[in-house]
Amino acid sequence: MPEAARTYQVRTFGCQMNVHDSERMAGLLEKAGYVRAEADAGEADVVVFNTCAVRENADNRLYGNLGQLAPRKAAHPGMQIAVGGCLAQKDRDAIVRRAPWVDVVFGTHNVGRLPVLLERARIQREAQVEIAESLEAFPSTLPTRRESAYAAWVAISVGCNNTCTFCIVPALRGREKDRRPGDILAEVEALVAEGVTEVTLLGQNVNAYGSDIGDRQAFSKLLRACGRIDGLERVRFTSPHPRDFTDDVIEAMAETPNVMPQLHMPLQSGSSRVLRAMRRSYRQERYLGIIEKVRAAIPDAAITTDIIVGFPGETEADFEETLHVVREARFAQAFTFQYSKRPGTPAAEMPDQVSKETVQARYERLVALQEEISWAENRRQLGRTVEVLVAEGEGRKDDTTRRLSGRAPDNRLVHFTRPERPIRPGDVATVEITYAAPHHLLAEGPVHAVRPTRAGDAWERRNAAPEEPARGVMLGLPTIGVPAPAPEPAGGCNVC
């Protein structure tokens, strides 16, 4: 009787890049013969932690999870535990010293070694720690088990050349390395041929694309090239940096129909003095100037941002400058973070660390202001008719409310009345917005139209037959639209 295939589970913390790396880890394991365990399974043969290092408590979270697994591993000698990602790149051998029941530690540059290291650890019966100092191969060459059939991440670069004082990512991911445009477009075309209708271009500093290949307009050219791919209905990207956000990118967004009217533009602080201390290469005036240009070219664009509250030395006057920018920019949403020391970053050693009580109070004021603005901006959507790309898993209450959910072109989350005719994830529903909340919209009337798509066909094919082990590149991403926030939102990766 053949031996049962070993099962695996990948647990992800951190940014969008980590989520995409986890798709690659899953693809590698399935190509090696492993089978994914059920989501709620507690008995996986291999558990992989893909870690984040940008939060002060990242290591506590990892070791807490590892501690919970220790007794289960002791009871199941064949079980293996692997730790990868940014925290593994940073802490290296320290992980095995603190948690000697871990079998494999690997870094951000050698994801492709995971199956080999697991097998070596099993045969040699000792922990394998292997950390590469530079990228061995661009990750998109690895097999990938994508989570959805209708939308996909496409990495266009890895690493970051910025030196933000609060961020440890460049030290762990390395300097920026760009893919060749032809390789990116070939991947997008292959995905579209399989049914994908939406892609999100991904990079630590996505609009700096081209610096490694010597073309300052490479990113805008890439957006326009995506616009020429037949069958690709929606293009998004995350996360850009204001320093590199040039007029040619704005023009490409406005003039390319399938580039969605949505922009995530990290602010971090509205104070030019704090921005200088953060080593951000723009100031308040420059940032607001970009927002003004985007709104002039794309009037209906939904703009979101990241903001850090309580950076070392931030005064009440500095914080008021942040509130001023929030009022002026009128963000659709803001991902707000209380400053957290990142061990190994210059900011962690800066004087004038702001007290936790002050940070908490400022954070609450910022959240209250942004909630008010988000709600007002969403109310402006009332009465609009929008096309919603139906998603899987976006609406947690959909079953009880008899609704479906998805993303409008501007990436706003829309819940709508379930129509009588069948509609699949990946299909498109045309609805009218009747109610607005700060973080979602409702379309409570009848659905105006349903457009079956190749993406819906792809979803149906995937769910019609039992899964097979991944071979090469599979399709999709964790959710529709801009990929859902990772389990632990990070203030460093992809919010630069």
Side-chain angles (χ1 to χ4, degrees), residues 59-175:
D59 56 346
N60 293 334
R61 184 168 187 180
L62 170 66
Y63 292 112
N65 277 275
L66 291 175
Q68 292 175 5
L69 286 182
R72 180 152 71 85
K73 185 178 179 186
H76 298 83
M79 180 184 175
Q80 290 183 294
I81 300 172
V83 179
C86 289
L87 191 63
Q89 187 78 21
K90 182 173 80 73
D91 286 358
R92 307 181 180 217
D93 298 280
I95 293 174
V96 175
R97 287 199 301 271
R98 291 185 61 177
W101 56 93
V102 169
D103 299 276
V104 170
V105 178
F106 62 104
T108 59
H109 300 307
N110 61 332
V111 170
R113 297 281 293 168
L114 175 58
V116 172
L117 294 173
L118 286 168
E119 183 66 8
R120 187 187 298 166
R122 187 183 67 82
I123 294 172
Q124 297 183 4
R125 297 188 178 183
E126 63 180 13
Q128 302 295 310
V129 178
E130 188 173 293
I131 305 293
E133 298 300 332
S134 60
L135 196 66
E136 295 181 345
F138 201 91
S140 290
T141 62
L142 301 174
T144 305
R145 188 203 190 283
R146 302 185 186 264
E147 295 298 327
S148 160
Y150 45 83
W153 310 93
V154 175
I156 69 171
S157 64
V158 294
C160 180
N161 293 341
N162 294 316
T163 57
C164 301
T165 55
F166 57 81
C167 184
I168 199 170
V169 171
L172 303 178
R173 291 277 183 178
R175 293 187 62 80

Side-chain angles (χ1 to χ4, degrees), residues 220-229 232-233 235 248-261 298:
S220 62
K221 292 175 183 177
L222 183 62
L223 291 178
R224 292 182 186 276
C226 286
R228 295 190 288 270
I229 296 177
L232 180 59
E233 297 188 12
V235 177
D248 61 296
V249 174
I250 298 173
E251 292 166 4
M253 291 178 65
E255 296 168 5
T256 309
N258 65 355
V259 175
M260 294 293 96
I298 315 168

